[in-house]
Structures are given as C-alpha cells and as structure tokens.
Amino acid sequence: MTLNKAMMAVMLALAGSAACAAGGSTTVDFSNGNEGWYGLEAADGNGGSGIDTSMGHGAPALRTVIENFGISFGTTTNAAFLGDYSAKGPVTLGLDIKANEIKYFNQDVARDVVVELRDYGNTPAGMPYSSVWYKLGTIDATQDWQHLSVTIADPTATGLPAGWGGYGSTDDGAGPKLPEGRSFADVLASVDEVVFGTFVPGYMYGFTNFDVAVDNISVTAVPEPSTYAMMIGGLGMVGWMRRRQQSRAVPGAGTLAA
C-alpha cells in the first residue's frame, strides 16, 4: 500500500469511528424479516401488512393494503431507533416509500407523510403519549419510489426546531402541541416508538383505500463538523502528497517547498 492510500484509509477509518461513536447507522431493508417494524392490520381481517418481494426496488418491502383513515409503519422494539437521542447525537431518520394506490371515494388523492417520535412516559392523564413530529413530504400513486428524510441537528434543543410540531397537550384548541413543561429534548431523551405514516396530528381523515410500501428505513449518525474537517483535511493532505510525488517523478520539474 502506498503512503497516500494508507493516509486515506486512516482518515476514513477515523471518520467512521467518530460516526459510530455518535450512534452509528442502521438500515432495515426487510431482507431479514420485519426487524421489529410493523404496519397496520385491519380489525375485520380485510387488509393488512406484510413483506412483499414483488415490489422491486432491489429488496423486499413492507407493504400495507388496507381501507382505513390512514396508514403507519412503526417500531417499539428495534433499539437502534429508540431510547435517548441525545446520546445518539445529530441523526438523520429516513425511508424509501411508494404509493401504488391512495383513493378517497374512488378518487386518486395525495397524503402527507410524517415521522413521529413518541414518549409514553410523563404524559398527561387521558393522552396516549407525548410526541414530536415532522412532515417529510407527500405521496400519491403517480410517483415512483422516493426517499424522504429529516435530520435532527440538535436532539438537546428545548424549543421545537423549524418544521417540527408537538403532541400530547390536553389543551389543543389552537392545534396539537407538547404538554405544559415538556420540551423537544424531553421527548427525544426517551423515545419509546418511532412511526412513519399519514396521520398528521390535528387532522381528521375519512376512510381511504391505501396500497403503500416502505423500504430502507434508517437512522444514521451525522458526523460533527470537526469530523468533516478531519476528513477534508486528511484528503487534502493525500492530494498534496500525490502532487509532490508526481512532481518529483517528472524530469526537470521544480521542487515543491516544504
């Protein structure tokens, strides 16, 4: 191995170690089963969720075909997506999603997709949970697979970051919000469930026919700026060393100053 290749390997290894220290990366592509993720099941047995190998996209997908007010895909058991997000550091949550059909009164419609992080503790009486949520984008049957994601830059922030909403207050006359005295950081310090779905808090829906699949659900640690600087600086050093070697190899070329 040449010196510049060795340097590059070291820099990438250090960057990877820093990312792992911040929480690493986990992707569920359903090639090993559900891995703790669920989809909705119809109470009458007419519709539900399961792994479908015919969806393409390079891997099996978790698919829900159901008539319901909305759909959701979530986990309460996959530890990589749960727990204290302040310990994970900045992270990105994402998934690939495709709607084969969304029909309301037999008309094609679009639905917003949100990600919701739920905390079942420290919740007011009468409320199922406290949560923070973010609108990722919109799906409809005209779109192919698309990737939707959001980055939580600071899980320790007390106020709701731009675009985020809250849920859990018993007084939501002005719209859903966090319970009194609870913050964004409070919820993210104790995430019991992560859900991707079409139920936007504060909205009401009628019965709709859904045929939607998801794949590559992921939580990914975002390297700190210092890590990026280390990678860029290291790769710059590799480039400098390469240019110096090339200059010395060309007859008559000038000598680089040390």
Side-chain angles (χ1 to χ4, degrees):
M1 179 182 289
T2 61
L3 182 58
N4 57 349
K5 288 184 178 179
M7 176 68 78
M8 183 178 290
V10 169
M11 299 312 300
L12 293 176
L14 288 173
S17 297
C20 288
S25 177
T26 297
T27 299
V28 175
D29 64 7
F30 302 105
S31 59
N32 295 312
N34 288 51
E35 295 189 53
W37 285 84
Y38 67 80
L40 286 183
E41 300 293 335
D44 60 4
N46 294 319
S49 303
I51 293 178
D52 191 318
T53 59
S54 68
M55 288 292 296
H57 199 52
L62 181 58
R63 182 178 181 183
T64 293
V65 181
I66 198 171
E67 183 184 11
N68 197 38
F69 299 116
I71 56 167
S72 58
F73 302 91
T75 183
T76 59
T77 59
N78 191 315
F81 294 83
L82 308 175
D84 184 359
Y85 269 59
S86 66
K88 299 179 188 294
V91 296
T92 297
L93 288 164
L95 83 167
D96 296 338
I97 189 166
K98 183 180 188 302
N100 296 315
E101 177 184 86
I102 307 177
K103 286 185 180 292
Y104 180 65
F105 280 100
N106 209 36
Q107 298 294 313
D108 290 318
V109 295
R111 287 287 184 265
D112 291 323
V113 177
V114 300
V115 59
E116 187 175 18
L117 293 87
R118 300 173 176 173
D119 175 12
Y120 284 86
N122 304 306
T123 298
M127 301 301 291
Y129 50 78
S130 300
S131 72
V132 293
W133 54 274
Y134 184 89
K135 192 179 295 185
L136 297 169
T138 302
I139 56 171
D140 61 52
T142 68
Q143 297 170 303
D144 201 352
W145 284 97
Q146 58 178 315
H147 182 75
L148 303 177
S149 66
V150 62
T151 296
I152 303 172
D154 182 7
T156 65
T158 53
L160 290 169
W164 284 84
Y167 173 84
S169 172
T170 56
D171 179 17
D172 62 354
K177 59 184 179 181
L178 284 170
E180 190 70 27
R182 298 222 72 203
S183 68
F184 184 74
D186 291 336
V187 174
L188 289 183
S190 182
V191 175
D192 298 312
E193 183 175 26
V194 174
V195 176
F196 294 91
T198 62
F199 292 102
V200 181
Y203 283 73
M204 297 183 65
Y205 302 92
F207 275 107
T208 303
N209 291 102
F210 290 94
D211 181 352
V212 177
V214 296
D215 197 4
N216 298 320
I217 302 176
S218 63
V219 56
T220 305
V222 178
E224 298 286 356
S226 58
T227 302
Y228 282 118
M230 178 181 65
M231 292 175 65
I232 293 171
L235 293 175
M237 177 64 74
V238 170
W240 178 83
M241 292 171 65
R242 182 180 292 116
R243 290 192 300 272
R244 181 167 183 169
Q245 290 172 346
Q246 290 172 344
S247 175
R248 285 176 171 173
V250 177
T255 302
L256 291 175

